[in-house]
Amino acid sequence: MKQIIVLGGGYGGILTAKKLAKRLRKQKDLRITLIDRKPYHTLLTELHEVAANRVEEDSIKIDLKKVFSGFRNVDVVLDEIGGIDFDGQTLRGEKQTYNYDYLVIGTGSKPTFFGIPGADQHAFTLWSYDDAVRLKEHTLNMFRKAVLERDPQVRKEMLTFVVVGGGFTGVEMIGELAEFTQQLCKEFYVDPSEVTLHVADMVDKILPILPEPLIRKAEKRLRKMNVNIITGSKITEVKPDGVTVGGNDIKSRTVIWTAGVEGSDVVGNMDVEQKGRKRILTNDKLQVPAHPNVYVVGDNIFYIPEGAAAPVPQMVENAELAAPVIAHNIVAELLNKPMKSYKPTFHGTMVCIGSRYGVANVGVPGHMFRLSGFMAMLVKHMINMLYLFQVCGFNKVYHYLLHEFFHVRNNRSFVGGHFAKRSPNFWLVPLRIFAGWMWLSQGWDKIHKIIEDPDKVFLIPAKVADGVSAASAAGADAAGAAGAGAADAVSAASAYTAEAVSALPVPGFMKSIVDWSMDLMFYTGDGGYTSLAYVFQTSMVLAELIVGILLIVGLFTAPAAVASVAMGAMVWVSGMAPNEMLWYLAAGIALIGGSGSTFGLDYYVYPWLKKVWGRIPIVRRWYVYTD
């Protein structure tokens, strides 16, 4: 049994293990083991959202066993690896020793402090889930203590926040912090003028990797959020009560360090050639030259592509692009096929400054587009969802949408609070029951007619003698429509009104389609009805009854509401819908969000169905479930 070990459950490790599992799913004599010290994958690029209380803490975590639940050839092992014997092809963990035939190193990075005194002791870092939660709680505590503090100097220190590092992480953190502190000022009755925010870096500008116009936009946005930007100033010391920047002391109880990263401790202790802050030197196949059965992915790679002047960047896209190359090369070695070289094409960078604004430089080399504001944030969310779909399919994308758009706090989304869930569902219960009763009563009236005379078709009018369908004729005569009924609709217009009314207008192309479909399916050559017409009539009446009952009892409310909208739309396109049909359509749309969990059977049925559905192997493999 050959063993492939992927060390690290970060961006690169997860994607590599998944791609290997898919390629090697038919290989019975091979096992893939992913080893990490934590049971979850952390979305490191979204840490600032938790640290500033924009999203729930669990929104940036993905259970590793959930990710691989559909792959029988992958084992997830929780262990801390202390060392690697490359010659003996073993990993030494706290729990046991692991043998491998192929090894993929993706242990990621950790913050580096550049030897600055006090930085590792007194500054907060933002490089893990625990860091984000700790920083959020600390910020809340600073406000709790500040409102009770009578010493103005101590109070000022508590309400001063400094982010060291003007790169992507630092700018995103200070942007979120600016919004978070504004909200905390309201909650704790603190004057916003008392809060001071700084972002500091020794280079002469923030976000130096971006084009100058985008840098200026980012600076303008930060200043609008009352952030003091300090550039070209060396950070020389971090103290318990502040930080020294450019020779000046900034008194603060909250110094957040985002100034750079280096390889993880386990990488730093490896007996392999390293460059650039503990990154492992690789060849073009992403192999360690001295150990060709060892590959490197993500932040741990030090590789300068042909024609490039600098090594590949430590960013998520590097991990996404490297993972399929490594998976291909390992499979190629196993099957004696040609290997691929790593030739990455990066598509740009994005940074959000708070929840509503961002800047992005995206595209392909030679054709980059500068985006800001709404479009930049839209691109960022789209790319995040693309990555999440690779990792955990529909499940994580669904929850991402909930956290970012529907369960947002204080309208902190780039679309504001327009999609946020605000109204409790119990206000929809009367509407749900009333709409259900209307459908049920219409169906109940018609089912008696079908029972009395099964051979009579009354929902589909007789074909007009000149060959034009009755739907068109009825559309021209609203009074006839009120009495005759919908062509291929669910019920007659008279079901909704007792008087002749003007029919809702239907676009000509839709009317032509309805005419054509009725001639094709419901009428015989001699003007009679086909057997499908009888089936259609019975099915539609039963649909009215079923939808009505489901809405009344609150069972499968959302699908029933969708069916209600569909039935209303069918009446409309038939050309015989009275004005009351607009009410049916609006009520159905309002109920799609679901009101069955309040005084309805959905409250009991859906949790049980979710458990049953989530146990089906193919469902777990494709992540088509919600938590």
Side-chain angles (χ1 to χ4, degrees):
M1 179 73 72
K2 287 187 177 295
Q3 295 285 345
I4 300 175
I5 291 182
V6 179
L7 182 57
Y11 292 100
I14 277 189
L15 292 177
T16 303
K18 286 197 70 173
K19 293 181 183 300
L20 281 169
K22 290 178 180 179
R23 286 173 173 265
L24 299 171
R25 61 183 180 276
K26 295 182 180 180
Q27 302 293 324
K28 304 300 183 183
D29 59 344
L30 186 145
R31 296 297 300 173
I32 301 166
T33 303
L34 185 138
I35 302 177
D36 198 281
R37 59 184 178 182
K38 294 184 177 179
Y40 52 83
H41 166 56
T42 305
L43 302 175
L44 297 180
T45 59
E46 311 304 311
L47 290 174
H48 56 279
E49 296 188 15
V50 168
N53 202 35
R54 171 144 66 105
V55 298
E56 301 290 343
E57 294 176 7
D58 63 350
S59 68
I60 61 170
K61 296 194 299 182
I62 307 176
D63 184 356
L64 290 175
K65 291 190 176 180
K66 176 195 291 185
V67 173
F68 296 102
S69 61
F71 296 91
R72 297 183 179 180
N73 56 345
V74 178
D75 297 316
V76 176
V77 173
L78 304 181
D79 202 351
E80 179 85 34
I81 300 301
I84 302 175
D85 179 358
F86 293 105
D87 294 328
Q89 297 187 179
T90 59
L91 286 77
R92 185 181 69 258
E94 291 183 352
K95 297 180 179 178
Q96 67 179 76
T97 298
Y98 307 90
N99 299 313
Y100 67 86
D101 294 283
Y102 294 93
L103 174 63
V104 180
I105 300 173
T107 57
S109 306
K110 68 173 186 175
T112 184
F113 300 98
F114 305 102
I116 294 174
D120 59 339
Q121 297 173 328
H122 306 304
F124 289 87
T125 56
L126 188 64
W127 202 248
S128 70
Y129 167 80
D130 294 330
D131 287 347
V133 174
R134 186 182 305 114
L135 186 54
K136 179 181 72 173
E137 292 301 322
H138 170 79
T139 304
L140 285 165
N141 282 331
M142 286 298 97
F143 274 81
R144 293 186 183 112
K145 293 178 179 178
V147 296
L148 302 175
E149 182 59 53
R150 294 294 175 262
D151 186 326
Q153 180 57 39
V154 175
R155 181 182 172 99
K156 183 178 181 181
E157 292 176 11
M158 290 178 175
L159 296 177
T160 298
F161 301 85
V162 183
V163 173
V164 177
F168 290 99
T169 304
V171 169
E172 290 190 324
M173 185 64 244
I174 196 67
E176 293 286 347
L177 200 56
E179 291 185 351
F180 187 26
T181 53
Q182 286 177 6
Q183 186 59 36
L184 292 177
C185 285
K186 295 178 182 178
E187 292 181 13
F188 290 93
Y189 307 102
V190 173
D191 188 332
S193 63
E194 293 188 70
V195 177
T196 305
L197 302 170
H198 302 278
V199 59
D201 205 312
M202 64 181 297
V203 299
D204 59 357
K205 55 187 174 183
I206 62 170
L207 305 172
I209 196 173
L210 289 178
E212 193 65 33
L214 292 181
I215 295 176
R216 289 197 296 271
K217 287 186 176 184
E219 290 176 341
K220 182 179 179 180
R221 182 68 177 186
L222 287 174
R223 292 192 177 102
K224 185 177 180 180
M225 302 172 83
N226 297 318
V227 174
N228 181 34
I229 303 172
I230 305 171
T231 54
S233 299
K234 190 175 182 180
I235 291 84
T236 54
E237 186 178 4
V238 179
K239 306 172 185 177
D241 61 349
V243 57
T244 303
V245 181
N248 299 315
D249 287 340
I250 299 177
K251 294 294 185 179
S252 172
R253 300 293 176 91
T254 310
V255 177
I256 306 170
W257 192 270
T258 65
V261 295
E262 64 182 18
S264 61
D265 290 334
V266 65
V267 168
N269 295 328
M270 290 180 185
D271 185 19
V272 291
E273 186 174 356
Q274 300 180 19
K275 291 187 176 182
R277 296 192 217 150
K278 301 179 183 179
R279 297 171 69 180
I280 302 173
L281 180 68
T282 72
N283 60 20
D284 64 317
K285 307 297 189 297
L286 299 182
Q287 298 167 298
V288 177
H291 307 284
N293 64 334
V294 178
Y295 293 79
V296 185
V297 70
D299 284 358
N300 299 131
I301 299 172
F302 187 95
Y303 170 65
I304 302 176
E306 184 179 352
V312 292
Q314 291 173 292
M315 50 192 277
V316 174
E317 191 176 12
N318 179 41
E320 291 180 282
L321 296 174
V325 173
I326 293 173
H328 171 87
N329 288 342
I330 291 177
V331 174
E333 280 198 80
L334 290 169
L335 304 179
N336 295 317
K337 293 184 177 181
M339 301 174 70
K340 289 182 180 179
S341 296
Y342 186 39
K343 299 177 181 179
T345 299
F346 297 105
H347 298 89
T349 50
M350 295 149 290
V351 57
C352 63
I353 306 171
S355 60
R356 302 181 184 91
Y357 188 87
V359 292
N361 188 42
V362 294
V364 294
H367 296 85
M368 302 298 286
F369 299 93
R370 299 170 186 171
L371 306 174
S372 62
F374 180 90
M375 289 305 300
M377 294 297 289
L378 178 63
V379 169
K380 177 180 173 63
H381 284 299
M382 293 295 292
I383 291 176
N384 282 348
M385 286 189 285
L386 179 63
Y387 169 74
L388 293 173
F389 190 80
Q390 294 181 72
V391 172
C392 211
F394 165 82
N395 177 270
K396 193 59 185 180
V397 173
Y398 171 79
H399 288 284
Y400 180 84
L401 290 171
L402 289 183
H403 288 300
E404 295 289 342
F405 300 106
F406 300 108
H407 293 169
V408 295
R409 298 188 180 102
N410 306 308
N411 299 340
R412 291 174 65 185
S413 166
F414 83 112
V415 291
H418 293 292
F419 293 101
K421 287 187 175 181
R422 294 177 177 175
S423 300
N425 282 342
F426 58 73
W427 291 117
L428 290 173
V429 172
L431 178 64
R432 187 196 83 209
I433 295 174
F434 181 67
W437 172 253
M438 292 298 291
W439 281 118
L440 180 62
S441 61
Q442 302 304 327
W444 185 255
D445 290 340
K446 297 181 188 68
I447 196 67
H448 290 294
K449 297 179 182 179
I450 293 177
I451 294 173
E452 291 171 2
D453 188 358
D455 294 328
K456 182 180 179 181
V457 174
F458 56 88
L459 290 185
I460 305 173
K463 187 173 182 180
V464 176
D466 63 359
V468 180
S469 75
S472 293
D477 186 351
D488 65 342
V490 179
S491 60
S494 59
Y496 310 101
T497 179
E499 300 177 357
V501 294
S502 298
L504 294 173
V506 180
F509 76 94
M510 285 189 178
K511 188 176 295 184
S512 299
I513 294 174
V514 171
D515 292 346
W516 173 81
S517 62
M518 289 189 63
D519 287 337
L520 179 66
M521 296 185 295
F522 297 148
Y523 299 128
T524 60
D526 59 1
Y529 294 109
T530 64
S531 58
L532 184 60
Y534 297 97
V535 174
F536 175 82
Q537 174 170 271
T538 304
S539 299
M540 293 304 100
V541 173
L542 290 176
E544 287 186 346
L545 292 169
I546 292 171
V547 167
I549 293 171
L550 291 178
L551 289 176
I552 290 172
V553 302
L555 179 63
F556 304 126
T557 310
V562 171
S564 177
V565 173
M567 290 191 294
M570 292 174 69
V571 176
W572 168 58
V573 299
S574 74
M576 296 182 293
N579 291 334
E580 284 81 354
M581 185 51 60
L582 294 175
W583 182 91
Y584 278 80
L585 291 169
I589 293 171
L591 293 172
I592 289 176
S595 60
S597 59
T598 305
F599 301 114
L601 295 181
D602 283 346
Y603 180 85
Y604 305 98
V605 174
Y606 272 158
W608 176 78
L609 282 179
K610 286 173 68 174
K611 291 180 181 179
V612 174
W613 179 257
R615 296 191 190 107
I616 301 174
I618 193 171
V619 169
R620 300 202 66 81
R621 178 178 177 83
W622 294 104
Y623 312 110
V624 285
Y625 61 93
T626 61
D627 296 329

